[in-house]
Amino acid sequence: MKNRLGFTPSRSIIALSALLALAACNNDEQSKNSITPQDRNPSLFFDYGSQWSYLDQGLAISNEWNQVGFDDSDWKNGQGIFFYGYDHAVEGNTILADYKAMGFVDATPSAYYFRKKVNVADISTLGDVYLNMKMDDAAAIYVNGQEIARSPLLPKYEVLTHTTSPLRYSKYGEDAEHTFILPSESFSQGENVIAVALFNQVNHRTNDVQFNVALNATFDYTGEPDGPYVTIGDTGEVTIDGINRNGLYSDTYTNISEAQVTVELPDELGSFSVELQNSYIPPEFQYEKPEQFFVTSDFEGQINALVYMLIEAGIMDKDYNWIYGNGHLFHLGDLFDRGAYVTESLWLFYHLENQAKVAGGDVHFILGNHDMMNFYGDFRYVHERYFENLSLMGKDFFELHSKNTVLGQWLRSKNLMEIAGDTLFVHAGFNLDVIEALENQTLLLEDINTYGRRHLDEGYVRYDDNGSLIKDAYYLPSRLYWDRSVPDGDLTQAELERGLATFGSSQMIIGHTVFDQPSYLYDYHVIAADVDHNQNFNEEGRVQGLEFYYNHYNHFVADKNLGVMRLPVYLTQPRQ
């Protein structure tokens, strides 16, 4: 081959030319690869504080309100943050109508409607996108008329109207940043509409609403692992969902025996593997008093403190193996709410229960009011991390512990109260109504736990036709996980001892009500075991519990600086 000047290029020159051509191709390819979906579709993505069309009249709305072709020319226009009842009154934000102040004759409406037109310039380059939302209280998201997602406080399959009320409001979830996955196939080339129905919990005592949205092409999960959530299918297949440090994951197994469940813990706590049980039978509620046991309560998802306590108390080793022999571990309710690691804490008790029974010991998981609340739909105290992660996973709160989940089945087998020899173990205590019902046998001792397990799905409140509370045998067991008559000193000494006698007991151990340390009440007939684990561990560097060994109670303390101490349990006065 000769060039235009008549020279024949050398092999080295030909090779160099080829390399240069290849480099040019690579540069072109890298240039193409460096162009992101956000670059290809600049009119699709937007930040917080964006403009939306909105409707805040509190009236029923056309079914086509979320469609591309809907005429929203008579809607208002505003810029996020949209709100009322918050301290967001700065330039650019938009104040919404307060329906409670508008005097609606019928049911107070709850819905606010938002629409935003976006453009997809190159659908071929578009992947799934991520809608970030800060809201109060709940929302449903639509793309081109198709519902894509609901936030965790909306029942998943309920038809939504302008008066739909979220399950409950939350004291902890109002600052959550929800992330919803919007699939690429929900968009079309050209003009699209993202629509949001925002719902206010009109029945709670606070009165506020907020709404602010951003849409991004990517999402990096930066939180701690969450889960696993294990679901049993109709044919026995096992699905394990959750979030690890890389984001969402989902694994499916043919049956329980094949399922591999690993619980990842936060910080440097490591992980442990769980062997799933095949069935869940309610435990006996009356049995001999163990020679050795440890009592704690109200850990509320504080997994760091829980792990530290169980290791220092000699109940498990650092590899999460039971080393307490034939000893018994009692948790007197309220593992749920407030803390960030409820699911991981549940799995730890589940895991230790399996191992304890093999060793001749046992784990007693007594149900408390916050455990119950998460089953019958009261999510006021749920940590914001669960709002965020459930939105990302596309689940509502009821799905976490439904009847076809492993943890849901396990928890539905638990007791409200247990009697070990002469000692009653219960979350809250009891009141005079419970005592009188047991004495006149309108409530039978053997029915209490059965009713309590029904409360998990049915709730506990019953009213007559006039709206008056029915204090019947179904309702009264709820006092065992709600009432504070005992720790508040509302019962006389004689009434307290009379109540214990109806349970065939002479002593009671309770949680539910915080004391500075495990304490005797009522002339040694009651021991209050609940302490503030959050403050104790995170601020003071210690944990506390109640230990029983051969007819003697100790106030157990494990301090990061002072080590393990076993102190006397002192008599104190009920909380006033």
Side-chain angles (χ1 to χ4, degrees):
M1 178 181 70
K2 294 184 179 181
N3 63 17
R4 287 187 304 157
L5 299 177
F7 294 104
T8 302
S10 67
R11 290 184 180 180
S12 59
I13 293 176
I14 294 173
L16 179 60
S17 299
L19 287 173
L20 290 173
L22 180 60
C25 289
N26 287 339
N27 287 336
D28 288 345
E29 190 63 31
Q30 289 173 4
S31 178
K32 290 179 182 177
N33 291 338
S34 67
I35 298 175
T36 67
Q38 200 147 341
D39 296 326
R40 293 285 189 180
N41 300 284
S43 298
L44 173 59
F45 301 99
F46 51 88
D47 294 325
Y48 284 121
S50 57
Q51 293 281 339
W52 291 74
S53 299
Y54 71 98
L55 194 66
D56 61 349
Q57 296 177 345
L59 303 176
I61 195 170
S62 165
N63 291 334
E64 287 74 41
W65 74 275
N66 49 28
Q67 304 283 345
V68 174
F70 179 77
D71 181 7
D72 61 3
S73 59
D74 60 343
W75 285 32
K76 301 176 184 177
N77 287 280
Q79 179 181 348
I81 302 170
F82 296 84
F83 75 100
Y84 74 79
Y86 277 84
D87 187 19
H88 294 326
V90 297
E91 185 178 354
N93 291 340
T94 305
I95 299 176
L96 297 171
D98 177 357
Y99 293 155
K100 285 187 177 181
M102 293 173 66
F104 286 91
V105 176
D106 298 320
T108 302
S110 59
Y112 299 80
Y113 298 97
F114 299 85
R115 286 170 50 90
K116 186 175 184 64
K117 294 179 181 179
V118 295
N119 187 268
V120 175
D122 186 355
I123 194 70
S124 66
T125 64
L126 187 65
D128 294 346
V129 298
Y130 301 88
L131 186 140
N132 305 117
M133 184 186 301
K134 295 180 180 180
M135 71 171 120
D136 184 3
D137 292 301
I141 298 98
Y142 306 83
V143 176
N144 298 334
Q146 177 187 2
E147 182 178 324
I148 302 300
R150 297 186 183 191
S151 62
L153 282 177
L154 285 179
K156 198 160 190 178
Y157 302 107
E158 181 178 310
V159 176
L160 303 176
T161 72
H162 71 294
T163 59
T164 293
S165 187
L167 295 170
R168 292 297 289 260
Y169 76 103
S170 170
K171 294 182 178 181
Y172 292 78
E174 292 178 353
D175 294 325
E177 182 178 44
H178 301 253
T179 298
F180 302 94
I181 301 173
L182 306 187
S184 59
E185 56 267 25
S186 62
F187 292 90
S188 302
Q189 183 84 16
E191 186 175 87
N192 295 259
V193 166
I194 297 174
V196 178
L198 179 73
F199 296 93
N200 180 29
Q201 173 55 265
V202 297
N203 297 319
H204 67 76
R205 285 171 291 182
T206 60
N207 189 29
D208 49 31
V209 161
Q210 70 169 333
F211 173 78
N212 202 9
V213 179
L215 189 68
N216 295 288
T218 59
F219 171 73
D220 294 322
Y221 184 74
T222 58
E224 294 287 352
D226 186 5
Y229 299 100
V230 184
T231 304
I232 312 298
D234 294 338
T235 60
E237 74 277 7
V238 178
T239 302
I240 303 176
D241 297 304
I243 302 176
N244 58 29
R245 288 180 173 85
N246 296 319
L248 295 174
Y249 69 86
S250 181
D251 300 306
T252 302
Y253 299 88
T254 304
N255 52 54
I256 284 178
S257 62
E258 293 183 0
Q260 299 179 19
V261 177
T262 300
V263 182
E264 295 184 68
L265 301 180
D267 302 324
E268 303 301 322
L269 294 181
S271 64
F272 58 89
S273 297
V274 178
E275 182 178 347
L276 298 181
Q277 302 173 27
N278 288 307
S279 61
Y280 305 92
I281 301 172
E284 297 293 329
F285 75 92
Q286 287 182 296
Y287 43 84
E288 294 295 320
K289 191 171 185 175
E291 294 180 344
Q292 182 179 14
F293 59 84
F294 192 95
V295 183
T296 187
S297 76
D298 298 76
F299 253 94
E300 298 174 335
Q302 302 287 335
I303 190 69
N304 297 76
L306 178 60
V307 167
Y308 179 71
M309 185 195 72
L310 294 175
I311 291 173
E312 295 301 314
I315 293 168
M316 71 178 190
D317 63 22
K318 293 181 180 179
D319 294 320
Y320 301 95
N321 297 310
W322 178 269
I323 57 172
Y324 201 39
N326 63 356
H328 289 227
L329 170 64
F330 291 83
H331 187 274
L332 301 185
D334 285 7
L335 198 62
F336 280 78
D337 284 347
R338 293 190 176 95
Y341 302 102
V342 171
T343 303
E344 293 78 8
S345 300
L346 288 168
W347 280 119
L348 184 54
F349 277 99
Y350 183 105
H351 169 65
L352 292 176
E353 179 183 282
N354 290 345
Q355 293 191 335
K357 290 181 178 179
V358 173
D362 210 347
V363 172
H364 305 267
F365 193 95
I366 305 298
L367 295 169
N369 60 301
H370 284 275
D371 309 320
M372 307 293 283
M373 289 161 68
N374 275 258
F375 275 72
Y376 55 66
D378 189 338
F379 305 110
R380 278 177 287 172
Y381 300 94
V382 173
H383 191 276
E384 69 179 44
R385 150 179 151 102
Y386 288 97
F387 285 83
E388 296 172 345
N389 290 349
L390 284 175
S391 296
L392 186 61
M393 290 189 288
K395 295 178 181 287
D396 68 24
F397 280 112
F398 281 124
E399 289 181 273
L400 291 190
H401 308 107
S402 65
K403 291 181 180 180
N404 63 341
T405 65
V406 166
L407 288 178
Q409 293 173 2
W410 178 68
L411 288 164
R412 284 175 174 81
S413 72
K414 298 308 177 185
N415 289 327
L416 291 188
M417 63 88 186
E418 293 183 6
I419 304 166
D422 63 347
T423 304
L424 170 65
F425 293 84
V426 66
H427 178 61
F430 50 67
N431 63 4
L432 287 174
D433 290 337
V434 174
I435 296 170
E436 292 169 359
L438 287 170
E439 287 176 336
N440 63 33
Q441 295 191 316
T442 56
L443 172 64
L444 301 179
L445 192 64
E446 56 267 28
D447 290 339
I448 287 176
N449 288 312
T450 301
Y451 285 130
R453 286 187 283 272
R454 285 178 58 187
H455 290 182
L456 287 166
D457 294 307
E458 300 174 15
Y460 68 91
V461 178
R462 283 184 174 179
Y463 297 97
D464 61 22
D465 293 338
N466 298 318
S468 298
L469 180 67
I470 302 174
K471 293 185 179 181
D472 62 2
Y474 176 82
Y475 165 79
L476 287 173
S478 69
R479 301 305 88 195
L480 300 179
Y481 57 84
W482 271 115
D483 195 85
R484 297 189 195 270
S485 295
V486 172
D488 285 354
D490 294 337
L491 301 181
T492 66
Q493 184 70 32
E495 289 170 337
L496 184 281
E497 294 184 29
R498 172 185 153 203
L500 288 174
T502 63
F503 286 91
S505 304
S506 60
Q507 190 176 61
M508 174 169 61
I509 304 177
I510 60 173
H512 190 50
T513 301
V514 173
F515 283 76
D516 290 337
Q517 62 187 41
S519 304
Y520 282 116
L521 311 174
Y522 284 95
D523 194 21
Y524 301 97
H525 286 277
V526 176
I527 307 178
D530 183 20
V531 296
D532 189 335
H533 296 292
N534 182 33
Q535 177 180 315
N536 283 183
F537 185 77
N538 294 313
E539 299 179 21
E540 301 166 4
R542 64 191 177 106
V543 291
Q544 302 183 80
L546 179 69
E547 188 178 60
F548 180 82
Y549 188 66
Y550 289 100
N551 295 315
H552 181 74
Y553 285 103
N554 294 317
H555 168 204
F556 173 87
V557 181
D559 188 285
K560 291 182 178 180
N561 294 316
L562 301 177
V564 171
M565 296 169 281
R566 288 173 169 87
L567 308 172
V569 180
Y570 291 107
L571 179 67
T572 189
Q573 295 298 313
R575 190 186 70 163
Q576 298 295 326

